[in-house]
């Protein structure tokens, strides 16, 4: 992608490669003629995953209700294109196959679940607050261990083909193909949210194996599922994520995990229960800057799967979502004053990335070694902003008003000294 390229703001008219537009058109003709459509039925998905994995046991059944509710919301609300239905079917099938492979491996190698994980460092700021930058910097520290994108997509190895001496892991090739697919389907997306098969990735994808993550509402219009999920116990998802981290540590690299996803802000109580002793790093930025950027991310993501993207609806939903995340995070922090929290301002991080990391290390009792500093400087050189193009967005496109945003989030801005800019 040309770094001078600017992302589209025509959210209601998502980009379509000609071949994809042709397939969508043909698919709609078939649907109207009742000649067939991609089946997103729950039982069909389960059987397909079992056949592809060559396995039967999905483990404990807590994933079944969220999966069923998600599928129902997709059918009622998501307005998927024919290609979008195919992509979602493959994505859900992949999650189920990961679950099957993990359950099988845990049964064969029970010592995996006996592994003790060091209390992780968890970056849990609001979306668009520098969490990705901070995560990649900390991940460069050789003393820490980050989840890589290819691991997040397939944490459970393929039976009989993993860890072969000198052989490239097939999961890496799959992740590289996924990135090429994103680049083809939505070339603007990497400018909005960089994705690299080998770069650090959010453990949100591990939570998604339990179908209790917020991935669905970022990719799809599924408001009923999103509202239902807000009131559910996230413990099964966090326990599964912890066990998948143990599985990845068993495969190689048992250092302290550095984790990152904004999802945690709503579930800090659960996170601290499942990962006792965790250090929580919360990044901060003015919501007036956060919201239009987040809305743009949702709009570009949903445009991959649907031709019907409503920017105004996204603006309303994201405002409510961010308000909820802040409220739940502040409540949790008040309840867990004994836990280790550290705050990082977006402006300070962007202005002096290595200096801010050094100050963060001092606050949480770590030492920034010369080796880690050199590695972080290399990360800054290799992963600069706007290398995939310039992310362009306007608050007005999503029905957002800066004055109203400032009023809505006045308490948050005061508590964490978040100013405009």
């Amino acid at each position: 992608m040309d770094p001078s390229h600017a992302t589209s703001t025509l959210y209601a008219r998502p980009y379509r490669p000609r071949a994809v537009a042709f397939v969508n058109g043909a698919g709609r003709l078939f649907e109207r003629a009742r000649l067939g459509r991609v089946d997103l039925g729950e039982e069909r998905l389960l059987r397909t995953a079992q056949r592809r994995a060559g396995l039967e046991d999905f483990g404990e059944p807590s994933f079944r209700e969220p999966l069923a509710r998600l599928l129902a919301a997709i059918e009622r609300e998501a307005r998927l294109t024919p290609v979008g239905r195919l992509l979602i079917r493959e994505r859900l099938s992949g999650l189920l196959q990961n679950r099957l492979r993990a359950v099988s491996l845990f049964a064969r190698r029970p010592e995996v679940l006996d592994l003790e994980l060091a209390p992780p460092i968890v970056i849990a700021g609001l979306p668009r607050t520098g969490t990705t930058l901070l995560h990649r910097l900390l991940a460069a520290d050789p003393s820490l261990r980050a989840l890589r994108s290819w691991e997040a997509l397939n944490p459970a190895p393929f039976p009989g083909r993993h860890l072969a001496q000198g052989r490239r892991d097939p999961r890496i090739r799959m992740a590289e193909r996924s990135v090429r697919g994103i680049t083809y389907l939505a070339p603007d997306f990497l400018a909005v949210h960089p994705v690299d098969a080998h770069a650090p990735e959010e453990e949100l994808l591990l939570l998604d194996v339990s179908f209790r993550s917020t991935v669905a509402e970022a990719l799809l219009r599924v408001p009923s599922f999103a509202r239902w999920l807000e009131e559910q116990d996230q413990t099964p998802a966090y326990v599964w994520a912890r066990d998948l981290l143990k599985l990845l540590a068993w495969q190689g690299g048992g250092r302290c995990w550095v984790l990152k996803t904004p999802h945690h802000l709503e579930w800090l109580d659960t996170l601290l229960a499942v990962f006792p002793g965790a250090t929580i790093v919360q990044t901060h930025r003015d919501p007036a800057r956060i919201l239009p950027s987040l809305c743009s991310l949702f709009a570009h993501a949903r445009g991959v799967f649907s031709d019907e993207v409503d920017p105004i609806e996204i603006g309303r939903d994201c405002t409510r979502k961010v308000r909820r995340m802040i409220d739940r995070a502040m409540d949790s922090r008040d309840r867990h004053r004994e836990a280790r929290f550290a705050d990082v301002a977006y402006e300070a991080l962007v202005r002096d990335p290595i200096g801010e990391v050094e100050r963060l290390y001092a606050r949480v009792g770590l030492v920034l070694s010369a080796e880690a500093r050199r590695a972080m400087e290399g990360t800054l050189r290799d992963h600069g902003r706007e290398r995939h193009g310039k992310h362009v967005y306007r608050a007005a496109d999503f029905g957002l008003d800066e004055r109203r945003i400032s009023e809505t989030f006045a308490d948050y801005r005061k508590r964490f000294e978040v100013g405009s800019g």
Side-chain angles (χ1 to χ4, degrees):
M1 177 69 69
D2 179 357
S4 66
H5 171 80
T7 57
S8 172
T9 56
L10 300 176
Y11 307 111
R13 288 191 291 160
Y15 167 80
R16 290 282 176 267
R18 289 184 180 180
V20 173
F22 175 81
V23 173
N24 278 334
R28 290 190 183 94
L29 289 175
F30 275 86
E31 290 176 0
R32 283 196 289 269
R34 300 185 181 278
L35 296 176
R37 70 195 310 222
V38 174
D39 188 349
L40 293 178
E42 181 182 359
E43 293 305 320
R44 178 71 174 272
L45 277 172
L46 295 172
R47 290 195 303 271
T48 298
Q50 289 170 325
R51 186 185 74 251
R52 291 179 178 179
L55 298 165
E56 294 291 324
D57 186 7
F58 287 104
E60 54 85 22
S62 66
F63 75 97
R64 292 293 299 267
E65 183 181 7
L67 174 60
R69 287 182 176 273
L70 173 59
L71 292 171
I74 288 172
E75 294 292 9
R76 288 194 309 267
E77 301 162 353
R79 308 165 185 165
L80 300 182
T81 64
V83 170
R85 291 182 69 86
L86 175 62
L87 293 171
I88 289 300
R89 184 190 69 182
E90 293 306 299
R91 185 177 187 283
L92 297 178
S93 176
L95 293 171
L96 290 166
Q97 290 172 65
N98 265 297
R99 193 176 183 94
L100 287 162
R101 294 200 305 272
V103 168
S104 175
L105 195 148
F106 292 150
R108 289 182 285 109
R109 305 296 296 265
E111 69 271 19
V112 173
L113 295 178
D114 292 332
L115 289 175
E116 292 290 335
L117 298 179
I121 299 169
V122 183
I123 301 168
L126 288 166
R128 323 308 290 174
T129 61
T131 55
T132 297
L133 171 59
L134 184 58
H135 189 213
R136 292 189 173 187
L137 289 173
L138 268 58
D141 187 335
S143 70
L144 301 176
R145 166 83 153 93
L147 181 69
R148 301 292 164 176
S149 186
W150 65 267
E151 295 175 311
L153 289 171
N154 281 291
F158 299 120
R161 292 189 291 171
H162 70 290
L163 304 181
Q165 189 67 31
R167 186 171 183 176
R168 194 165 189 252
D169 195 311
R171 293 175 293 174
I172 297 176
R173 292 195 298 273
M174 289 185 66
E176 290 170 344
R177 286 199 298 270
S178 294
V179 173
R180 289 195 294 271
I182 293 171
T183 304
Y184 173 70
L185 291 168
D188 280 358
F189 187 79
L190 295 184
V192 180
H193 180 72
V195 179
D196 184 317
H198 303 273
E201 186 52 86
E202 295 187 19
E203 65 277 9
L204 184 62
L205 299 182
L206 303 185
L207 295 166
D208 210 25
V209 174
S210 299
F211 301 96
R212 291 172 185 259
S213 86
T214 48
V215 170
E217 65 187 276
L219 300 181
L220 310 170
R221 181 184 181 273
V222 284
S224 64
F225 176 78
R227 293 293 184 100
W228 174 83
L229 186 66
E230 290 176 349
E231 305 306 323
Q232 303 310 304
D233 179 11
Q234 283 278 10
T235 301
Y238 275 84
V239 168
W240 254 89
R242 181 199 63 198
D243 291 347
L244 290 173
L245 290 172
K246 290 183 178 183
L247 175 55
L248 289 163
W250 172 76
Q251 293 171 65
R255 303 178 301 281
C256 173
W257 285 100
V258 54
L259 306 176
K260 168 255 181 178
T261 178
H263 175 98
H264 295 318
L265 282 181
E266 293 190 73
W267 308 103
L268 290 176
D269 293 349
T270 306
L271 170 70
L272 290 167
V274 176
F275 294 95
T279 297
I280 311 298
V281 180
Q282 188 172 352
T283 50
H284 301 281
R285 189 184 185 189
D286 187 349
R289 308 280 80 79
I290 293 170
L291 276 167
S293 180
L294 177 62
C295 291
S296 176
L297 171 65
F298 274 38
H300 281 283
R302 292 184 184 184
V304 175
F305 304 96
S306 175
D307 286 336
E308 301 180 51
V309 177
D310 183 346
I312 303 302
E313 179 183 49
I314 289 173
R316 290 195 302 267
D317 290 347
C318 285
T319 300
R320 176 187 172 277
K321 183 72 175 177
V322 170
R323 181 69 257 184
R324 175 184 166 82
M325 294 171 79
I326 288 172
D327 288 344
R328 291 190 61 133
M330 291 196 299
D331 288 346
S332 291
R333 289 187 63 157
D334 289 342
R335 282 194 298 274
H336 294 275
R337 293 188 181 276
E338 77 286 355
R340 291 210 302 178
F341 288 93
D343 297 294
V344 172
Y346 171 84
E347 288 78 10
L349 179 64
V350 172
R351 183 171 57 249
D352 181 15
I354 304 298
E356 190 60 24
V357 168
E358 190 166 26
R359 289 185 284 273
L360 170 64
Y361 272 36
R363 290 197 294 272
V364 301
L366 296 176
V367 176
L368 181 61
S369 68
E371 182 184 11
R373 181 186 294 273
R374 286 193 297 271
M376 291 178 187
E377 290 169 348
T379 294
L380 289 174
R381 287 193 301 271
D382 297 339
H383 299 280
R385 296 174 68 189
E386 299 184 0
R387 69 187 186 280
H388 296 294
K390 183 177 179 59
H391 181 199
V392 176
Y393 50 87
R394 297 182 296 264
D397 290 340
F398 303 99
L400 301 174
D401 175 78
E402 187 166 334
R403 180 185 57 79
R404 192 174 304 162
I405 292 172
S406 296
E407 293 172 353
T408 300
F409 297 98
D411 58 337
Y412 167 74
R413 295 177 67 182
K414 180 179 180 180
R415 176 165 175 171
F416 295 103
E417 299 180 344
V418 178
S420 60

